[in-house]
């Protein structure tokens, strides 16, 4: 559904790597399709990691689809907020972390990060801004990254960073089912890779791609914050009382119940096309926009 109110005078920042050269034109077309107000210089702004509009980083088709998804997901659930897109030089952890600091410096009180890697304390200070909601995707490979781990790769038995950092809200994934009129019919955990899918690919031949599962796991480095440890039944997750779980909240991520974006770069044949996208890369900006 589309929320047409709220968000006035609030800034939601999105941190991504590289540049999407068509992000503004795609957002304008997305707005027109749904009847949102036209974007202005203050409603949507793109800057590099030092906070200026030029030069922007190198174009990258792989990240462009992510950028388009993040921006349009926030706009869909927050029609009147200002969106600040910080594009970092590349996807090095230090540069992405610097992008978060830049977003906060420029006044964002909500920052969405749709990326992650092996759990670590590196750059943790850049994600610690009291009074600012820093959100990060939990990943798409299931609990403990097991769909990758059991396939023989070197995925660690722990959640992703930055989602697992104690100062960050880790955003997991759900399958969100709607009625024909767009109202919510039901919601459950996104877990299209079941326990018998040892390679993480049991359904890939049928669907054409690995259907995925929401990332999670018990931290090897951090204790749970009060919002986790005080929840009834927290210990039943298997993390015990001393380990943080990599997810604090969850939202739509299942690509089969996903989100339609209008995308020109990194999607389709180079012209603006509608594509349905999922993953916790969707969940984080959705929660950021709702916040």
């Amino acid at each position: 559904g589309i929320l047409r109110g709220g968000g006035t005078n609030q800034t939601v920042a999105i941190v991504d790597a590289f540049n999407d050269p068509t992000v503004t034109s795609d957002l304008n077309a997305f707005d027109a399709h749904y009847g949102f107000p036209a974007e202005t210089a203050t409603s949507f702004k793109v800057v590099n990691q030092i906070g200026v509009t030029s030069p922007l980083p190198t174009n990258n088709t792989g990240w462009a689809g992510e950028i388009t998804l993040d921006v349009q997901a926030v706009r869909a659930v927050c029609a009147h907020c200002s969106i600040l897109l910080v594009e970092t030089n590349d996807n090095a952890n230090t540069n992405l972390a610097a992008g978060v600091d830049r977003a906060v410096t420029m006044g964002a009180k909500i920052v969405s990060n749709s990326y992650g890697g092996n759990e670590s304390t590196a750059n943790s200070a850049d994600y610690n801004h009291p009074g600012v909601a820093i959100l990060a995707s939990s990943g798409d490979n299931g609990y403990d990254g097991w769909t990758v781990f059991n396939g023989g790769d070197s995925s660690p038995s722990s959640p992703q960073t930055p989602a697992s950092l104690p100062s960050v809200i880790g955003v997991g994934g759900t399958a969100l089912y709607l009625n024909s009129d767009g109202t919510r019919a039901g919601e459950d955990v996104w877990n299209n890779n079941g326990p018998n899918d040892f390679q993480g690919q049991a359904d890939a031949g049928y669907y054409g791609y690995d259907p995925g599962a929401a990332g999670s796991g018990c931290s090897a480095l951090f204790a749970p914050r009060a919002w986790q440890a005080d929840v009834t039944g927290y210990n039943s997750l298997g993390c015990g009382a001393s380990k943080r779980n990599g997810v604090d909240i969850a939202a739509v991520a299942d690509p089969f119940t996903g989100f339609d974006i209008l995308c020109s770069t990194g999607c389709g044949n180079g012209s603006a096309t509608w594509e349905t996208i999922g993953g916790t890369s969707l969940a984080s900006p959705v929660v950021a926009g709702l916040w």
Side-chain angles (χ1 to χ4, degrees):
I2 302 295
L3 305 182
R4 299 190 181 274
T8 303
N9 299 323
Q10 183 69 279
T11 296
V12 178
I14 297 162
V15 176
D16 277 310
F18 300 104
N19 179 53
D20 176 1
T22 56
V23 63
T24 301
S25 58
D26 285 344
L27 179 59
N28 285 330
F30 181 89
D31 291 342
H33 179 82
Y34 285 110
F36 290 139
E39 301 296 335
T40 68
T42 55
S43 71
F44 179 60
K45 187 173 185 178
V46 185
V47 300
N48 60 25
Q49 73 182 55
I50 62 172
V52 296
T53 58
S54 179
L56 294 174
T58 304
N59 295 344
N60 183 284
T61 56
W63 276 81
E66 175 67 58
I67 293 169
T68 300
L69 170 65
D70 293 347
V71 169
Q72 293 179 15
V74 170
R75 177 57 74 225
V77 295
C78 192
H80 299 289
C81 64
S82 295
I83 299 175
L84 172 65
L85 172 62
V86 180
E87 295 183 332
T88 62
N89 296 345
D90 54 34
N91 60 343
N93 291 337
T94 52
N95 285 329
L96 290 165
V100 174
D101 281 331
R102 179 59 56 191
V104 175
T105 299
M106 295 182 69
K109 294 299 182 183
I110 305 159
V111 184
S112 178
N113 304 276
S114 290
Y115 56 84
N118 292 355
E119 188 175 43
S120 169
T121 59
N123 307 304
S124 58
D126 301 293
Y127 296 89
N128 186 6
H129 295 277
V132 179
I134 309 291
L135 303 99
S137 302
S138 70
D140 302 338
N141 291 315
Y143 183 82
D144 277 351
W146 65 267
T147 57
V148 175
F149 181 74
N150 289 333
D153 294 330
S154 58
S155 177
S157 296
S158 60
Q160 288 191 161
T161 294
S164 72
L165 295 173
S167 59
V168 171
I169 298 99
V171 185
T174 69
L176 174 64
Y177 305 99
L178 302 180
N179 297 310
S180 59
D181 63 356
T183 56
R184 183 177 180 275
E187 193 169 14
D188 55 29
V189 66
W190 173 42
N191 188 24
N192 288 326
N193 290 355
N196 295 320
D197 184 6
F198 291 113
Q199 300 301 317
Q201 299 174 345
D203 298 317
Y206 178 79
Y207 291 121
Y209 62 93
D210 181 359
S216 182
C218 301
S219 174
L221 302 174
F222 308 114
R225 297 295 295 271
W227 63 71
Q228 285 191 337
D230 291 348
V231 172
T232 301
Y234 178 73
N235 287 349
S236 68
L237 290 175
C239 296
S242 61
K243 294 182 178 180
R244 167 165 166 69
N245 186 272
V247 175
D248 298 296
I249 191 170
V252 59
D254 186 339
F256 296 113
T257 69
F259 181 78
D260 294 340
I261 65 170
L262 186 61
C263 178
S264 297
T265 304
C267 306
N269 59 6
S271 60
T273 57
W274 288 97
E275 293 202 2
T276 302
I277 306 295
T280 55
S281 286
L282 167 62
S284 182
V286 164
V287 174
L290 291 170
W291 202 301

